[in-house]
Amino acid sequence: MSTDPLEHLYSRQATGAQPSVIRDICALVARPQMRSLAGGWPDPQKFPVQAIGRISEQLIAEHGDLLLQYGSTEGLLDLRTALARRMNAEGIAGLDADNLVITHGSSQGISLAAQVFLNPDDVLLVGLPTYFGGPGAGRARGAQLVGVNVDEQGMDTDRLQQEIKRLKSAGHRVKAVYTIPNFQNPTGATLSLERRQQLIELAETHDLVIFEDDPYADLRFEGQRPPSLKALDRSGRVIHLRSLSKIFVPGMRLGWAAGDAGVIRRMVVAKQFADATTNTPGQYILLEFIRQGLLDRQIQENTDFYRAKRDFMLEQMDRHFPAEATWNRPQGGFFIFVHLPGDMDAEMLFHRAVERNVAFVTGSPFFVDGSGRNTLRLSYSQVSREDMEIAIRTLGNLIKEQLAGNNK
Ligand SMILES: Cc1ncc(COP(=O)(O)O)c(C=O)c1O
């Protein structure tokens, strides 16, 4: 029996919410001796500590009254203008400050978009697998989650079309698609141009909105950046969500949402009741960082840094993993997704790996239908080369042992 005296008073949302398994895994493996390929956190080595220190000191001395005051809910006008210009330069024409709201990370953007669009029982289509932010925000609204297969070209839009038709003919209200088009978490896959176009067409035909969660867009190691869904959007159906976590710092909790002015106004109203304003000193510091040309330099440095890490991880995997396991070669972002041989259980492998002080994230928490038991996600973002080498060798040996039926 529960010993919680308030158990009977919790809202349906609170009782229905599931803790993030990935966060739980990260907490479990936080032991100092652990070589962790689990968390998708940026490497603190790349934080622009000195520049942020210098800028903060100067801004506080000169404008402490502004920096430490409440701000407007939509965020600093100059910062929104600067970010809108950057988006124009990326090929999203016609955006200005009114099309943007500064959020506490892309996480808050997802949550506000879900609040603005989703009613209980609306269907939210998500990747199978997908990062838990979209499904979590949908669940909090009481939406039904339906997964659509993700392969090396991103979400399979033919399957998506079939699912939409099936759901509609069964009487469901299909409302939105949550997608991570670039270097998806957890598969590292990038949505092909053809599928981007097809997704936009499907949204138009079936009157859907698209939540385009794009925190890794700027971390492209090679190849050409395809147009964002927002750039292809002719009817204002795409809510484009961005993050500063991987290209600036995650601790400031900064991101933004871009969309039609009417949608953004509704998200601003929702935000008024969530937290009223986004971290004011963080916004001023970021604005100055952009004005000094440091963000572009930071993006370039981060891209080079994480490319080298990806290369090293792939090299080690080629050397130590058995041929029966398969994995992708991401062109950017933080993640490599592994399919274990046959029906090998990633959770069992996880427990064995933790005994040897190696951690990763099992794949199945990323599948809203609970499948993917033979998959796992590896992240090269935070681990040192030395630890990566040992962790990948250990994992490769464990997979080989398990393959050979050596379950000692
Ligand atoms: C796909 C995706 N969306 C959103 C987030 C959260 O980003 P933020 O720090 O901006 O809230 C992450 C973080 O790992 C992510 O992988």
Side-chain angles (χ1 to χ4, degrees):
M1 213 175 73
S2 167
T3 53
D4 185 342
L6 301 185
E7 186 72 44
H8 60 295
L9 296 178
Y10 290 131
S11 67
R12 269 197 294 277
Q13 176 177 335
T15 44
Q18 296 164 3
S20 152
V21 180
I22 291 123
R23 294 264 149 82
D24 289 351
I25 289 178
C26 293
L28 178 75
V29 301
R31 304 201 292 250
Q33 69 274 29
M34 190 65 69
R35 296 188 172 89
S36 177
L37 312 172
W41 290 13
D43 192 325
Q45 261 190 70
K46 291 314 294 172
F47 294 163
V49 175
Q50 283 178 357
I52 289 178
R54 178 175 47 74
I55 291 171
S56 313
E57 202 178 332
Q58 190 192 340
L59 286 177
I60 286 279
E62 290 172 13
H63 308 289
D65 54 339
L66 290 176
L67 254 72
L68 303 177
Q69 185 54 285
Y70 284 116
S72 71
T73 305
E74 39 278 87
L76 273 187
L77 176 63
D78 287 353
L79 179 59
R80 284 182 290 128
T81 306
L83 293 170
R85 283 209 190 106
R86 294 178 72 86
M87 295 191 72
N88 294 157
E90 286 172 14
I92 307 177
L95 287 188
D96 63 26
D98 289 343
N99 299 107
L100 261 70
V101 52
I102 310 293
T103 56
H104 277 124
S106 165
S107 306
Q108 187 180 39
I110 301 166
S111 156
L112 296 176
Q115 276 182 57
V116 163
F117 285 104
L118 299 179
N119 288 318
D121 297 330
D122 282 350
V123 173
L124 172 64
L125 293 147
V126 302
L128 208 54
T130 186
Y131 170 69
F132 55 80
R139 243 181 235 118
R141 300 293 307 155
Q144 293 184 50
L145 303 171
V146 176
V148 175
N149 190 46
V150 170
D151 60 27
E152 37 323 321
Q153 303 289 311
M155 187 184 273
D156 181 338
T157 39
D158 288 336
R159 293 258 190 111
L160 177 67
Q161 183 171 24
Q162 288 161 15
E163 274 304 304
I164 295 170
K165 285 186 179 156
R166 182 186 68 76
L167 288 159
K168 281 175 88 172
S169 60
H172 292 283
R173 174 78 173 99
V174 185
K175 187 64 92 56
V177 181
Y178 168 74
T179 183
I180 305 156
N182 293 305
F183 325 122
Q184 195 232 24
N185 182 0
T187 62
T190 292
L191 191 63
S192 67
L193 176 58
E194 204 176 279
R195 287 187 178 178
R196 286 174 196 239
Q197 285 159 337
Q198 199 182 347
L199 179 51
I200 294 287
E201 273 163 34
L202 285 173
E204 284 172 3
T205 309
H206 296 283
D207 196 19
L208 311 177
V209 283
I210 299 173
F211 304 148
E212 179 180 33
D213 187 14
D214 207 5
Y216 303 100
D218 292 300
L219 285 182
R220 172 170 281 280
F221 307 147
E222 64 236 348
Q224 263 226 296
R225 183 177 188 153
S228 63
L229 293 163
K230 187 76 210 147
L232 300 172
D233 179 22
R234 294 166 295 230
S235 52
R237 296 175 176 281
V238 177
I239 322 303
H240 181 84
L241 307 164
R242 287 288 270 275
S243 170
L244 271 308
S245 295
K246 325 289 177 185
I247 52 170
F248 182 51
V249 286
M252 297 252 193
R253 307 305 303 122
L254 290 170
W256 74 94
D260 266 25
V263 174
I264 295 300
R265 265 200 306 281
R266 294 209 183 251
M267 290 176 74
V268 169
V269 173
K271 186 172 161 65
Q272 280 166 0
F273 301 103
D275 55 4
T277 188
T278 301
N279 176 359
T280 319
Q283 291 187 66
Y284 275 101
I285 293 165
L286 171 63
L287 177 61
E288 191 52 30
F289 197 77
I290 294 173
R291 281 185 173 153
Q292 293 185 13
L294 299 175
L295 186 61
D296 288 321
R297 196 196 299 172
Q298 184 72 30
I299 288 172
Q300 189 55 56
E301 281 182 17
N302 283 14
T303 305
D304 294 343
F305 179 80
Y306 292 114
R307 181 194 298 109
K309 284 194 149 187
R310 176 211 56 181
D311 288 347
F312 189 69
M313 175 96 99
L314 287 172
E315 217 176 280
Q316 296 306 313
M317 291 174 77
D318 286 339
R319 179 175 306 169
H320 297 296
F321 274 28
E324 292 88 340
T326 56
W327 58 93
N328 62 310
R329 295 181 173 264
Q331 291 192 311
F334 284 178
F335 307 111
I336 296 175
F337 199 64
V338 180
H339 283 85
L340 292 169
D343 59 0
M344 190 181 285
D345 184 16
E347 199 168 324
M348 201 189 321
L349 185 70
F350 173 77
H351 291 295
R352 297 226 166 102
V354 167
E355 280 167 19
R356 298 193 198 181
N357 288 324
V358 170
F360 57 84
V361 179
T362 54
S364 73
F366 296 101
F367 290 76
V368 291
D369 64 357
S371 61
R373 299 196 62 79
N374 69 332
T375 63
L376 56 97
R377 186 193 77 177
L378 303 177
S379 170
Y380 40 81
S381 61
Q382 219 187 340
V383 63
S384 69
R385 267 178 171 243
E386 194 190 25
D387 283 351
M388 208 192 288
E389 203 271 319
I390 297 170
I392 293 292
R393 178 155 33 90
T394 306
L395 263 186
N397 287 341
L398 282 172
I399 300 170
K400 285 176 197 162
E401 273 174 32
Q402 208 143 320
L403 256 182
N406 179 359
N407 292 337
K408 269 182 269 170

